[in-house]
Every structure is written in structure tokens, then in C-alpha cells.
Amino acid sequence: MEGETQFLCGVVEGFYGRPWSMDQRKVLFQWMQCWGLNTYLYGPKDDLKHRLLWREVYSPEEEAQLRTLIAEAQSRGLRFVYALSPGQDIVFSSSCDLTLLKRKLRQVSDLGCQAFAILFDDIDHSMCQADSEAFSSFAHAQVTVTNEIYRFLGEPPVFLFCPTEYCGSLCSPSVSKSPYLQTVGEDLLPNITVIWTGSKVISRKLSVECLAEVGSVLQRPPLIWDNLHANDYDSRRLFLGPFKGREPQLRSHLRGLLLNPNCEFEANYIPLHTLGSWYRTGEEDDECEYCPDKALSAALHDWMDELNQPLQAGRQSTRGDQRSSAPSSRCKPADAADSPSALRGTCAVAKLPVFPLNSSSPPPSPTKVKGERSHQPNQLSHQTPGTRPGLPSGGGRGQKAPGRGSCSGKGLLSESQVRLLVGLHFLPHEHGPAAQKLLQDLTWLKSNCHLVGTSNKKSPPQKVDEWRGRSSRFLSLCEDIAQLHCSVVGGANRAVLYDLYPYVWDLRNMALVAKAFICWLDGRVLSDSSTLASWRNCFHWCGKTTGADLLGVDSEPWVFKGGVSGEVQMILPVGNSSELFTHPPPLFPTSRLYNIRPYHSKDKAELYRMVRQLHLRTQGGQGSSAAHPDVVGDRCLGPCLALCPEYSFVLEDELGVCGCVLGVLDVRTFAKRCQASWMPAMRDKYPPRGGNAHPNTQDLLQLMEEDQGEYPDSLLYHFPSQLRLDALPELVDISVSRILLTALLTALKANGSQGVFCEVQPTDRQRLEFLTKLGFLEILRGEARSREGVVLGRLL
């Protein structure tokens, strides 16, 4: 390799968060060799001895690992660049610090490394008093030390310098007038290459004009540290889209381009594959145009084979080294890395725990028998110690919900599913086709929900049909997202699963809420005649702009967090309640399908059966007589299902109904209706005398009367609505209960509620803890009621 002339194109491991493992880096080198890339830069921010403890030399064990890695890169024709980041606490005028810096780099040089980088990114511009006395400026201090290190290492052909002003938006007052960059351009030795990220930290596009400007100031062509696919600034975003926005003709203005990709190793197949296509396009034929869409299709074709290989997390494919070096070859990935942290260039960086050079991988997934239900206790359950999980015989479960199949077992991801996956996790400034369609339809359905309002008789039939047609297509897309989640979990490639699971799980959850909300909108939004709210103002809480609108061309992607999930969240009426949507995924991935939908009258028997079984568990098997099996359901669910069924949602899994949430929009009105109609009906249904009477039945009937006790005006003024949540204890994914509750809160707020409360027994600590995490705060003790309880409420 001719270091002075070769265009450096490859990968920089420079993100914040858990570094990749040694095995993953070896697989990376296989990929790079396959796709014609030539340079790897080692600089993970959370490797202690790269940044925080840069003065410390590597131990003998770490030396052996690093020597092996350097040799592996060189054996595949790759240039290994070792980067050090001393800028956080170096004293530039200290001969001791300079000696320690030389010692560290000499150690790495002795291991076989022939290319180096000194990084001064993401640090404070201020200097200590000693440095202020020794140097004329901050840039002068950095340049002086960098030049000396460069000479000390024998002026290697590849030596990179990352300035503190490393993009246009960080230059003061501008790129062309920055005193800092002018000093770098004038005083830095000419064969040292300067790193640049573009006009922004994460540049949507790189233009010839901008590169020519910075090249003129630096007096040399820069090397691009490309953050296009970096995701360490947002734990809910992943970027699987193609390399884009950089024309191959830019190469004549650059020394090189290194892509700083996703923290999750397995997520980088398409970004790096398409980067290779970009590089080869410019290398093989300067007249040939690079097409991101064609490059994406080629990468998808190769990735399909990769995704369906039986690779275990933490283990490399035994066939991984048996690959040709031709660009069209397919290489096998190794293990998976953990979740991301925060980004290069952000002000506040929430870092993950620091891991050593050879970080380990996540544990393999547990063995699970097909169709078996995990028995993890649910935070919302009423299971008592010693009871057997699962419903007793006759519980009505065990039959699959109509129209919904199981996703258990290992299977193959289809190409359409992979395209959906990529489209939902595309690029920081651009959504893929599936995400665009999802957001456009959701926004349109929300904005035009008046067409199917509760008493809107004026809507033209064709407009109503249009709304329901788009609704059907939207619901179908949400189903596809749920199936995608199941396929990723049930797929053969466990390495991909552990890297992608938090993201497909998050989007699955958001799709569940959005789907339930759209189903609820049809015929349930209050009309203009309502005294509580109307469709004309019920959505003024919702986000009026999308993430793309907020971003614009000149904004960094972290201005609006959450990606597609975040935008769906903001469209919902309770979108600003972040605690409802941010929660960690389950420890062990589950492929069980769930569905949340509005209540239908045919669900009553199943819901009654469910709460009866929950009651039996809490009572140790003691309950009402067989003559009155509905008494528990009549007390717990009956009033809401009879008087306000439009605020009831049902949770289903593959075996049937497994939870529900019931709401009351206006407690005052509801209480009056109960006294007028519901309680007389119950007294007729459960007479106080007769051979079928049972003491427990009469106790529950008495509790029904107490349930209708009055709440103080001080409570109902701020919290006019009420809810009740029930779920089976054997739910595998506890987050589904949270999604179920969120579906109800969106409905209540859409029809004008400003707050909701619920009563919880003080002994039910699991439920108290769960609701507290969702922003429910204790607002009233049970002394104001006829029985003991804690009242928790939250504003909407």
C-alpha cells in the first residue's frame, strides 16, 4: 500500500458506548476485504486506555490482543490506524505528559502498527495557566504537540489529526475565518492529514464547494470522519440505509473517508457493503454514477443469506474464513454487541459502563419450547404465593386468537420483511418508504377523524370510505411490523437478534399503540355537540410537526430523538409523556404476538372469566358460588362495559384474551348513571333472599355499592377520569401492560380529559410501583372513601 497516495476508505470504530469485541473486529476485517475497503481506525471512546486513561500502557494480555488484531488487519490488506485521545486532560506544555504520550504510541508501534491518529475532538477549548503562558493559542498548543509526535514516530505515511473544530457548525465565526483552523492549516506539518466531518457533526450531504473551502483553509485535502450511520446519540435509532449523499467525484477533494457506523456491529452490514460499492464506483470508472438504491438492493441480496445463517451471539461462523476476497463474496458475522450510548459532538453524553479492549458478548438466548408460556410474574398481576401460573381448566385460553398465528420457533426472514426493517430504520435525515407511509397515514387518519366521529352524519360516504380504506392499510402495516418483530426473534441468526432486538421491539410497541388508537378513532371521537370536547380541539395536544420538519436541512439529527417511534409517539395525544414510551426491553426476547384493540360486546364473557380467575387466586381458591359466576365480573368490569364501553381496551396474545383496561371519561356523570341504572339492575340480579344467595355474593354486592362512593371535588377537578387495569400474571413481556394502559390514556385525552386516577390497595406494591413509573403520583389517601386504598393520578 502506498500510504502517501492511496485513498483511505474504510471504517472508524469511534463511537461512544460499548466497543466491539475482538471477534467482531476480525469479522469486520473479512467484510472489508470482501468489499474492497482498505483502512480501519481503532478509537472507541469508551476504551479506557484510548481516552480516559490514555497515559497508561497496555498490559501484556492487552498487548497480545492488539498485536493479533493488527496482524489480522494487515493479513487482509488493511491499514490499521491506532488513535489516541489525550485532549481531555493533557497539559500541552508538560514534558512529562509528552513523554507518556510518546511511550504509549511507541508501545503500539512496537506491536506492528504503522499508522496513527491524534484526536482532540469533543473537548473544552480552554487551556490551563501553564499552557496559556507557553502557547499563543489552543490550536498552537495542539499543533506543536502533534508535530513533535509525528516526527518522533518517524513521519509515518499515514498520520491523522482531529481538530477540536472538526465540522463547519463548530467553527467560529466560520470555516474560512476561523483563527483555529487557520493556525492548523499554517503550522501543522504538510503530510499530516486533518480529519473533518463536513458542514455538520452528522452531515446530510458533502458538497464539493464546502470541501474546497475547508481544504483551502487547511492547505490540504481533509479526511472525512463520516457520522452518517452513527447512532450513539439516540438509544431508539438505528441506521440500516445505504451510504448516501456523497458523490464519488468528491474523492478528488479528499484524502480519504472513514465511516463511523452503528454501535451495534450486526447493524452495519448494509452501510459498509454500500460504502464498498461507492468506493469501487469511483475507483473503477470515474464516469460511472453511484446509485444508492442499486447499492442497497445488492447489499440486501447478500444480507439475506447472512440473516438466515445459524450464528450464535458470541460465536463466529466456522465458515467465516472460507471466503474469497472478491467484492461479491459474502462474509459471516461474529457475535453481537450491546446497546448504544450517546454521540461524538453532543453536549451531554450519557455513557455506558466502560469495557476492556476484548469486551465480551451478550449471553445466548434461552431454550424455549414451542408454544410454552413463560411464567415470569407480571407487575400488574394478582398472583398469590403458592398458586400455579396459568388459568385452571375451563379458563377459555389455549385457542389462538382468530386471524393471528404463532411466531414460535426458528424461521427465515423474507426479503419483504428485511426491506421493511431497513425502511423503518433508514438514515438520520431520511425515512425509508415504509416509515414515510406509516407516518403519513397516521397523520392523515388523525387529522380527518371527524369523518367518522360519534354523531357526524354529514360526512360524504366516499370520504368515510377513504378514511376506513387508509385505516385498513395502516393497520395492515402495523401487523407487518408485529410479524417482523416475531421473525427477528424467531430467526436463526442470534447474533443479529441481540443487536437489533431493542429497536424492532420498540417499534413493535409503538405500532401496537398506534394500531389500537386508529381502531378506537373509528366512531368514538366526540362530536361538536359534546360538552366535554369535540374533534375540532381534541388534538391540540398532539405534535403538529414531524421529526423531519423539526430537523430541516440545517439541524443535527439529535434535535428530535426517537426516529420513527418518536414521531409516532408525538402524533398520539399523549406523545409528550415520555415515561410512557421509554422502558427497557425484556431480558429474554419473546416472539409472542400481541394485539390491543377496542372492546366488543362479544368479549364480555372472556373478560368476566379472566377477572374471576384472578379473584380466585387472590382469595386462595375461595369465591362466589357457582350459582352466581358473574358477580366478580359485574363488580370489577360490569359498570364500565355497560355504561362506557368506548373506553375499554382488550389485550390478546396467541392464546386469547390476557388483559384489559377500562376507563371512565367523566367520573361524576358515570356515578350518577350507575346509581340510576346499574345498581338497580344488580340488586335485581342478586336478590338478598333466596336459596341461591351466598355470603360472598352479598359481600361483593355491598362492595359494588361502596364503589359508587363520592370522590371529592378537589380530586375530580384535576383528574376527572378513572381507569382499571387487569392482566394475567403469566404475561412474558411486561411492557405490553404499559402499552395497554397507554392506549386508554390516548383515548381519554383525545376526548378532552386532562387527568386520570385509579385506586390501588396499599398491599399491592407491584401495581403501585408500576403506575409510579408511568407518572402516576399519590394524590389522595383512602380515608376519604369508605374503604382503605391509595389513589394515584396523573395529568394528561
Side-chain angles (χ1 to χ4, degrees), residues 199-230:
S199 59
K200 302 291 179 183
V201 178
I202 304 170
S203 298
R204 184 187 185 110
K205 291 184 178 180
L206 297 177
S207 68
V208 170
E209 294 76 18
C210 290
L211 293 178
E213 179 186 26
V214 70
S216 175
V217 177
L218 296 176
Q219 302 181 29
R220 72 203 77 198
L223 177 141
I224 294 297
W225 172 309
D226 202 334
N227 288 313
L228 180 64
H229 290 86

PDB file of all heavy atoms in Angstrom, residues 199-230:
ATOM      1  N   SER A 199     -20.157  19.773   6.959  1.00  0.00           N
ATOM      2  CA  SER A 199     -20.762  21.008   7.450  1.00  0.00           C
ATOM      3  C   SER A 199     -21.356  20.835   8.848  1.00  0.00           C
ATOM      4  O   SER A 199     -21.486  21.800   9.597  1.00  0.00           O
ATOM      5  CB  SER A 199     -21.851  21.488   6.486  1.00  0.00           C
ATOM      6  OG  SER A 199     -22.859  20.492   6.344  1.00  0.00           O
ATOM      7  N   LYS A 200     -21.722  19.603   9.189  1.00  0.00           N
ATOM      8  CA  LYS A 200     -22.294  19.289  10.494  1.00  0.00           C
ATOM      9  C   LYS A 200     -21.537  18.121  11.118  1.00  0.00           C
ATOM     10  O   LYS A 200     -20.706  17.485  10.473  1.00  0.00           O
ATOM     11  CB  LYS A 200     -23.782  18.915  10.365  1.00  0.00           C
ATOM     12  CG  LYS A 200     -24.651  19.978   9.723  1.00  0.00           C
ATOM     13  CD  LYS A 200     -24.791  21.193  10.620  1.00  0.00           C
ATOM     14  CE  LYS A 200     -25.654  22.272   9.958  1.00  0.00           C
ATOM     15  NZ  LYS A 200     -25.734  23.485  10.794  1.00  0.00           N
ATOM     16  N   VAL A 201     -21.849  17.851  12.376  1.00  0.00           N
ATOM     17  CA  VAL A 201     -21.314  16.646  13.003  1.00  0.00           C
ATOM     18  C   VAL A 201     -21.807  15.432  12.229  1.00  0.00           C
ATOM     19  O   VAL A 201     -21.054  14.498  11.934  1.00  0.00           O
ATOM     20  CB  VAL A 201     -21.746  16.556  14.483  1.00  0.00           C
ATOM     21  CG1 VAL A 201     -21.236  15.267  15.118  1.00  0.00           C
ATOM     22  CG2 VAL A 201     -21.233  17.762  15.263  1.00  0.00           C
ATOM     23  N   ILE A 202     -23.105  15.447  11.887  1.00  0.00           N
ATOM     24  CA  ILE A 202     -23.697  14.408  11.041  1.00  0.00           C
ATOM     25  C   ILE A 202     -24.198  15.109   9.789  1.00  0.00           C
ATOM     26  O   ILE A 202     -25.264  15.728   9.791  1.00  0.00           O
ATOM     27  CB  ILE A 202     -24.842  13.680  11.767  1.00  0.00           C
ATOM     28  CG1 ILE A 202     -24.347  13.108  13.083  1.00  0.00           C
ATOM     29  CG2 ILE A 202     -25.420  12.570  10.892  1.00  0.00           C
ATOM     30  CD1 ILE A 202     -25.438  12.580  13.971  1.00  0.00           C
ATOM     31  N   SER A 203     -23.430  15.031   8.732  1.00  0.00           N
ATOM     32  CA  SER A 203     -23.738  15.788   7.520  1.00  0.00           C
ATOM     33  C   SER A 203     -24.677  15.005   6.620  1.00  0.00           C
ATOM     34  O   SER A 203     -24.403  13.849   6.295  1.00  0.00           O
ATOM     35  CB  SER A 203     -22.445  16.108   6.764  1.00  0.00           C
ATOM     36  OG  SER A 203     -21.587  16.912   7.554  1.00  0.00           O
ATOM     37  N   ARG A 204     -25.758  15.667   6.241  1.00  0.00           N
ATOM     38  CA  ARG A 204     -26.700  15.026   5.311  1.00  0.00           C
ATOM     39  C   ARG A 204     -26.041  14.798   3.954  1.00  0.00           C
ATOM     40  O   ARG A 204     -26.195  13.753   3.329  1.00  0.00           O
ATOM     41  CB  ARG A 204     -27.943  15.902   5.167  1.00  0.00           C
ATOM     42  CG  ARG A 204     -29.042  15.287   4.296  1.00  0.00           C
ATOM     43  CD  ARG A 204     -30.171  16.273   4.054  1.00  0.00           C
ATOM     44  NE  ARG A 204     -31.264  15.658   3.316  1.00  0.00           N
ATOM     45  CZ  ARG A 204     -32.456  15.374   3.827  1.00  0.00           C
ATOM     46  NH1 ARG A 204     -32.703  15.632   5.097  1.00  0.00           N
ATOM     47  NH2 ARG A 204     -33.397  14.826   3.087  1.00  0.00           N
ATOM     48  N   LYS A 205     -25.304  15.808   3.495  1.00  0.00           N
ATOM     49  CA  LYS A 205     -24.594  15.720   2.218  1.00  0.00           C
ATOM     50  C   LYS A 205     -23.213  16.332   2.375  1.00  0.00           C
ATOM     51  O   LYS A 205     -22.973  17.187   3.240  1.00  0.00           O
ATOM     52  CB  LYS A 205     -25.372  16.443   1.115  1.00  0.00           C
ATOM     53  CG  LYS A 205     -26.676  15.778   0.716  1.00  0.00           C
ATOM     54  CD  LYS A 205     -27.329  16.504  -0.457  1.00  0.00           C
ATOM     55  CE  LYS A 205     -28.617  15.809  -0.882  1.00  0.00           C
ATOM     56  NZ  LYS A 205     -29.268  16.501  -2.023  1.00  0.00           N
ATOM     57  N   LEU A 206     -22.307  15.902   1.510  1.00  0.00           N
ATOM     58  CA  LEU A 206     -20.995  16.518   1.397  1.00  0.00           C
ATOM     59  C   LEU A 206     -20.912  17.157   0.010  1.00  0.00           C
ATOM     60  O   LEU A 206     -21.161  16.490  -0.994  1.00  0.00           O
ATOM     61  CB  LEU A 206     -19.886  15.480   1.566  1.00  0.00           C
ATOM     62  CG  LEU A 206     -19.807  14.765   2.923  1.00  0.00           C
ATOM     63  CD1 LEU A 206     -18.706  13.718   2.901  1.00  0.00           C
ATOM     64  CD2 LEU A 206     -19.563  15.763   4.042  1.00  0.00           C
ATOM     65  N   SER A 207     -20.594  18.422  -0.031  1.00  0.00           N
ATOM     66  CA  SER A 207     -20.550  19.128  -1.312  1.00  0.00           C
ATOM     67  C   SER A 207     -19.115  19.486  -1.669  1.00  0.00           C
ATOM     68  O   SER A 207     -18.258  19.680  -0.791  1.00  0.00           O
ATOM     69  CB  SER A 207     -21.399  20.399  -1.252  1.00  0.00           C
ATOM     70  OG  SER A 207     -20.817  21.349  -0.377  1.00  0.00           O
ATOM     71  N   VAL A 208     -18.859  19.594  -2.979  1.00  0.00           N
ATOM     72  CA  VAL A 208     -17.536  19.982  -3.455  1.00  0.00           C
ATOM     73  C   VAL A 208     -17.177  21.365  -2.954  1.00  0.00           C
ATOM     74  O   VAL A 208     -16.024  21.623  -2.554  1.00  0.00           O
ATOM     75  CB  VAL A 208     -17.511  19.932  -4.999  1.00  0.00           C
ATOM     76  CG1 VAL A 208     -16.224  20.558  -5.538  1.00  0.00           C
ATOM     77  CG2 VAL A 208     -17.665  18.504  -5.482  1.00  0.00           C
ATOM     78  N   GLU A 209     -18.154  22.284  -2.918  1.00  0.00           N
ATOM     79  CA  GLU A 209     -17.877  23.660  -2.502  1.00  0.00           C
ATOM     80  C   GLU A 209     -17.398  23.720  -1.055  1.00  0.00           C
ATOM     81  O   GLU A 209     -16.407  24.404  -0.747  1.00  0.00           O
ATOM     82  CB  GLU A 209     -19.140  24.518  -2.670  1.00  0.00           C
ATOM     83  CG  GLU A 209     -19.591  24.718  -4.106  1.00  0.00           C
ATOM     84  CD  GLU A 209     -20.280  23.488  -4.690  1.00  0.00           C
ATOM     85  OE1 GLU A 209     -20.717  22.616  -3.895  1.00  0.00           O
ATOM     86  OE2 GLU A 209     -20.360  23.389  -5.931  1.00  0.00           O
ATOM     87  N   CYS A 210     -18.097  22.996  -0.175  1.00  0.00           N
ATOM     88  CA  CYS A 210     -17.714  23.018   1.247  1.00  0.00           C
ATOM     89  C   CYS A 210     -16.351  22.369   1.466  1.00  0.00           C
ATOM     90  O   CYS A 210     -15.538  22.840   2.275  1.00  0.00           O
ATOM     91  CB  CYS A 210     -18.776  22.317   2.077  1.00  0.00           C
ATOM     92  SG  CYS A 210     -20.337  23.211   2.185  1.00  0.00           S
ATOM     93  N   LEU A 211     -16.080  21.289   0.755  1.00  0.00           N
ATOM     94  CA  LEU A 211     -14.795  20.613   0.900  1.00  0.00           C
ATOM     95  C   LEU A 211     -13.664  21.463   0.338  1.00  0.00           C
ATOM     96  O   LEU A 211     -12.554  21.491   0.896  1.00  0.00           O
ATOM     97  CB  LEU A 211     -14.830  19.252   0.210  1.00  0.00           C
ATOM     98  CG  LEU A 211     -15.762  18.213   0.843  1.00  0.00           C
ATOM     99  CD1 LEU A 211     -15.755  16.924   0.037  1.00  0.00           C
ATOM    100  CD2 LEU A 211     -15.368  17.927   2.284  1.00  0.00           C
ATOM    101  N   ALA A 212     -13.940  22.162  -0.754  1.00  0.00           N
ATOM    102  CA  ALA A 212     -12.921  23.043  -1.313  1.00  0.00           C
ATOM    103  C   ALA A 212     -12.605  24.182  -0.351  1.00  0.00           C
ATOM    104  O   ALA A 212     -11.438  24.583  -0.204  1.00  0.00           O
ATOM    105  CB  ALA A 212     -13.393  23.595  -2.665  1.00  0.00           C
ATOM    106  N   GLU A 213     -13.628  24.683   0.334  1.00  0.00           N
ATOM    107  CA  GLU A 213     -13.419  25.779   1.289  1.00  0.00           C
ATOM    108  C   GLU A 213     -12.538  25.333   2.441  1.00  0.00           C
ATOM    109  O   GLU A 213     -11.557  26.005   2.789  1.00  0.00           O
ATOM    110  CB  GLU A 213     -14.764  26.283   1.807  1.00  0.00           C
ATOM    111  CG  GLU A 213     -14.643  27.407   2.823  1.00  0.00           C
ATOM    112  CD  GLU A 213     -15.981  27.802   3.433  1.00  0.00           C
ATOM    113  OE1 GLU A 213     -16.891  26.939   3.474  1.00  0.00           O
ATOM    114  OE2 GLU A 213     -16.103  28.958   3.880  1.00  0.00           O
ATOM    115  N   VAL A 214     -12.879  24.196   3.055  1.00  0.00           N
ATOM    116  CA  VAL A 214     -12.086  23.750   4.197  1.00  0.00           C
ATOM    117  C   VAL A 214     -10.694  23.315   3.758  1.00  0.00           C
ATOM    118  O   VAL A 214      -9.707  23.511   4.475  1.00  0.00           O
ATOM    119  CB  VAL A 214     -12.814  22.617   4.963  1.00  0.00           C
ATOM    120  CG1 VAL A 214     -12.851  21.320   4.155  1.00  0.00           C
ATOM    121  CG2 VAL A 214     -12.142  22.356   6.302  1.00  0.00           C
ATOM    122  N   GLY A 215     -10.586  22.721   2.558  1.00  0.00           N
ATOM    123  CA  GLY A 215      -9.274  22.342   2.054  1.00  0.00           C
ATOM    124  C   GLY A 215      -8.372  23.538   1.842  1.00  0.00           C
ATOM    125  O   GLY A 215      -7.160  23.467   2.063  1.00  0.00           O
ATOM    126  N   SER A 216      -8.972  24.646   1.423  1.00  0.00           N
ATOM    127  CA  SER A 216      -8.197  25.872   1.217  1.00  0.00           C
ATOM    128  C   SER A 216      -7.672  26.411   2.543  1.00  0.00           C
ATOM    129  O   SER A 216      -6.513  26.843   2.640  1.00  0.00           O
ATOM    130  CB  SER A 216      -9.072  26.918   0.532  1.00  0.00           C
ATOM    131  OG  SER A 216      -8.398  28.155   0.410  1.00  0.00           O
ATOM    132  N   VAL A 217      -8.505  26.381   3.584  1.00  0.00           N
ATOM    133  CA  VAL A 217      -8.075  26.882   4.883  1.00  0.00           C
ATOM    134  C   VAL A 217      -7.023  25.963   5.500  1.00  0.00           C
ATOM    135  O   VAL A 217      -6.019  26.423   6.069  1.00  0.00           O
ATOM    136  CB  VAL A 217      -9.289  27.013   5.830  1.00  0.00           C
ATOM    137  CG1 VAL A 217      -8.837  27.461   7.229  1.00  0.00           C
ATOM    138  CG2 VAL A 217     -10.304  27.988   5.281  1.00  0.00           C
ATOM    139  N   LEU A 218      -7.223  24.651   5.368  1.00  0.00           N
ATOM    140  CA  LEU A 218      -6.289  23.686   5.967  1.00  0.00           C
ATOM    141  C   LEU A 218      -5.036  23.485   5.122  1.00  0.00           C
ATOM    142  O   LEU A 218      -4.071  22.862   5.583  1.00  0.00           O
ATOM    143  CB  LEU A 218      -6.996  22.334   6.150  1.00  0.00           C
ATOM    144  CG  LEU A 218      -8.169  22.301   7.126  1.00  0.00           C
ATOM    145  CD1 LEU A 218      -8.829  20.926   7.115  1.00  0.00           C
ATOM    146  CD2 LEU A 218      -7.717  22.658   8.549  1.00  0.00           C
ATOM    147  N   GLN A 219      -5.088  23.982   3.883  1.00  0.00           N
ATOM    148  CA  GLN A 219      -3.964  23.851   2.957  1.00  0.00           C
ATOM    149  C   GLN A 219      -3.633  22.390   2.653  1.00  0.00           C
ATOM    150  O   GLN A 219      -2.466  22.026   2.458  1.00  0.00           O
ATOM    151  CB  GLN A 219      -2.726  24.592   3.493  1.00  0.00           C
ATOM    152  CG  GLN A 219      -2.963  26.068   3.741  1.00  0.00           C
ATOM    153  CD  GLN A 219      -1.734  26.799   4.242  1.00  0.00           C
ATOM    154  OE1 GLN A 219      -0.607  26.409   3.933  1.00  0.00           O
ATOM    155  NE2 GLN A 219      -1.947  27.869   4.998  1.00  0.00           N
ATOM    156  N   ARG A 220      -4.662  21.562   2.627  1.00  0.00           N
ATOM    157  CA  ARG A 220      -4.533  20.133   2.306  1.00  0.00           C
ATOM    158  C   ARG A 220      -5.938  19.556   2.209  1.00  0.00           C
ATOM    159  O   ARG A 220      -6.875  20.072   2.828  1.00  0.00           O
ATOM    160  CB  ARG A 220      -3.735  19.396   3.388  1.00  0.00           C
ATOM    161  CG  ARG A 220      -4.474  19.212   4.714  1.00  0.00           C
ATOM    162  CD  ARG A 220      -3.523  19.014   5.850  1.00  0.00           C
ATOM    163  NE  ARG A 220      -2.916  20.286   6.241  1.00  0.00           N
ATOM    164  CZ  ARG A 220      -1.795  20.388   6.972  1.00  0.00           C
ATOM    165  NH1 ARG A 220      -1.185  19.296   7.389  1.00  0.00           N
ATOM    166  NH2 ARG A 220      -1.300  21.575   7.291  1.00  0.00           N
ATOM    167  N   PRO A 221      -6.111  18.488   1.435  1.00  0.00           N
ATOM    168  CA  PRO A 221      -7.435  17.842   1.407  1.00  0.00           C
ATOM    169  C   PRO A 221      -7.697  17.113   2.722  1.00  0.00           C
ATOM    170  O   PRO A 221      -6.810  16.412   3.232  1.00  0.00           O
ATOM    171  CB  PRO A 221      -7.328  16.871   0.229  1.00  0.00           C
ATOM    172  CG  PRO A 221      -5.868  16.613   0.073  1.00  0.00           C
ATOM    173  CD  PRO A 221      -5.167  17.867   0.496  1.00  0.00           C
ATOM    174  N   PRO A 222      -8.879  17.248   3.290  1.00  0.00           N
ATOM    175  CA  PRO A 222      -9.169  16.598   4.568  1.00  0.00           C
ATOM    176  C   PRO A 222      -9.544  15.126   4.378  1.00  0.00           C
ATOM    177  O   PRO A 222      -9.817  14.677   3.261  1.00  0.00           O
ATOM    178  CB  PRO A 222     -10.367  17.382   5.105  1.00  0.00           C
ATOM    179  CG  PRO A 222     -11.088  17.818   3.861  1.00  0.00           C
ATOM    180  CD  PRO A 222     -10.017  18.081   2.834  1.00  0.00           C
ATOM    181  N   LEU A 223      -9.567  14.395   5.478  1.00  0.00           N
ATOM    182  CA  LEU A 223     -10.131  13.041   5.521  1.00  0.00           C
ATOM    183  C   LEU A 223     -11.466  13.120   6.252  1.00  0.00           C
ATOM    184  O   LEU A 223     -11.545  13.703   7.339  1.00  0.00           O
ATOM    185  CB  LEU A 223      -9.179  12.077   6.227  1.00  0.00           C
ATOM    186  CG  LEU A 223      -9.702  10.636   6.401  1.00  0.00           C
ATOM    187  CD1 LEU A 223      -8.568   9.629   6.164  1.00  0.00           C
ATOM    188  CD2 LEU A 223     -10.295  10.396   7.792  1.00  0.00           C
ATOM    189  N   ILE A 224     -12.499  12.560   5.649  1.00  0.00           N
ATOM    190  CA  ILE A 224     -13.840  12.635   6.243  1.00  0.00           C
ATOM    191  C   ILE A 224     -14.032  11.519   7.269  1.00  0.00           C
ATOM    192  O   ILE A 224     -13.860  10.337   6.962  1.00  0.00           O
ATOM    193  CB  ILE A 224     -14.930  12.540   5.160  1.00  0.00           C
ATOM    194  CG1 ILE A 224     -14.876  13.758   4.246  1.00  0.00           C
ATOM    195  CG2 ILE A 224     -16.316  12.425   5.804  1.00  0.00           C
ATOM    196  CD1 ILE A 224     -15.165  15.074   4.931  1.00  0.00           C
ATOM    197  N   TRP A 225     -14.333  11.920   8.480  1.00  0.00           N
ATOM    198  CA  TRP A 225     -14.825  11.017   9.535  1.00  0.00           C
ATOM    199  C   TRP A 225     -16.341  11.111   9.405  1.00  0.00           C
ATOM    200  O   TRP A 225     -16.946  12.078   9.830  1.00  0.00           O
ATOM    201  CB  TRP A 225     -14.331  11.495  10.892  1.00  0.00           C
ATOM    202  CG  TRP A 225     -14.873  10.810  12.107  1.00  0.00           C
ATOM    203  CD1 TRP A 225     -16.166  10.579  12.429  1.00  0.00           C
ATOM    204  CD2 TRP A 225     -14.099  10.283  13.203  1.00  0.00           C
ATOM    205  NE1 TRP A 225     -16.271   9.965  13.645  1.00  0.00           N
ATOM    206  CE2 TRP A 225     -15.011   9.758  14.145  1.00  0.00           C
ATOM    207  CE3 TRP A 225     -12.741  10.219  13.486  1.00  0.00           C
ATOM    208  CZ2 TRP A 225     -14.593   9.184  15.358  1.00  0.00           C
ATOM    209  CZ3 TRP A 225     -12.331   9.646  14.681  1.00  0.00           C
ATOM    210  CH2 TRP A 225     -13.248   9.128  15.588  1.00  0.00           C
ATOM    211  N   ASP A 226     -16.954  10.108   8.787  1.00  0.00           N
ATOM    212  CA  ASP A 226     -18.354  10.214   8.380  1.00  0.00           C
ATOM    213  C   ASP A 226     -19.277   9.605   9.420  1.00  0.00           C
ATOM    214  O   ASP A 226     -19.274   8.397   9.642  1.00  0.00           O
ATOM    215  CB  ASP A 226     -18.547   9.516   7.030  1.00  0.00           C
ATOM    216  CG  ASP A 226     -19.779  10.010   6.296  1.00  0.00           C
ATOM    217  OD1 ASP A 226     -20.716  10.473   6.975  1.00  0.00           O
ATOM    218  OD2 ASP A 226     -19.800   9.944   5.056  1.00  0.00           O
ATOM    219  N   ASN A 227     -20.091  10.446  10.045  1.00  0.00           N
ATOM    220  CA  ASN A 227     -21.037  10.006  11.080  1.00  0.00           C
ATOM    221  C   ASN A 227     -22.424   9.700  10.533  1.00  0.00           C
ATOM    222  O   ASN A 227     -23.391   9.667  11.303  1.00  0.00           O
ATOM    223  CB  ASN A 227     -21.160  11.082  12.170  1.00  0.00           C
ATOM    224  CG  ASN A 227     -19.931  11.169  13.043  1.00  0.00           C
ATOM    225  OD1 ASN A 227     -19.414  10.158  13.507  1.00  0.00           O
ATOM    226  ND2 ASN A 227     -19.439  12.380  13.265  1.00  0.00           N
ATOM    227  N   LEU A 228     -22.534   9.473   9.221  1.00  0.00           N
ATOM    228  CA  LEU A 228     -23.848   9.277   8.616  1.00  0.00           C
ATOM    229  C   LEU A 228     -24.632   8.160   9.298  1.00  0.00           C
ATOM    230  O   LEU A 228     -25.846   8.281   9.491  1.00  0.00           O
ATOM    231  CB  LEU A 228     -23.690   8.958   7.121  1.00  0.00           C
ATOM    232  CG  LEU A 228     -24.992   8.728   6.346  1.00  0.00           C
ATOM    233  CD1 LEU A 228     -25.831   9.998   6.315  1.00  0.00           C
ATOM    234  CD2 LEU A 228     -24.698   8.247   4.922  1.00  0.00           C
ATOM    235  N   HIS A 229     -23.986   7.063   9.659  1.00  0.00           N
ATOM    236  CA  HIS A 229     -24.682   5.932  10.277  1.00  0.00           C
ATOM    237  C   HIS A 229     -24.427   5.828  11.778  1.00  0.00           C
ATOM    238  O   HIS A 229     -24.820   4.829  12.396  1.00  0.00           O
ATOM    239  CB  HIS A 229     -24.275   4.631   9.592  1.00  0.00           C
ATOM    240  CG  HIS A 229     -24.791   4.502   8.191  1.00  0.00           C
ATOM    241  ND1 HIS A 229     -24.122   5.024   7.109  1.00  0.00           N
ATOM    242  CD2 HIS A 229     -25.914   3.926   7.689  1.00  0.00           C
ATOM    243  CE1 HIS A 229     -24.803   4.769   6.004  1.00  0.00           C
ATOM    244  NE2 HIS A 229     -25.893   4.110   6.322  1.00  0.00           N
ATOM    245  N   ALA A 230     -23.790   6.814  12.378  1.00  0.00           N
ATOM    246  CA  ALA A 230     -23.561   6.772  13.828  1.00  0.00           C
ATOM    247  C   ALA A 230     -24.888   6.914  14.567  1.00  0.00           C
ATOM    248  O   ALA A 230     -25.717   7.757  14.221  1.00  0.00           O
ATOM    249  CB  ALA A 230     -22.608   7.894  14.239  1.00  0.00           C
TER     250      ALA A 230
END
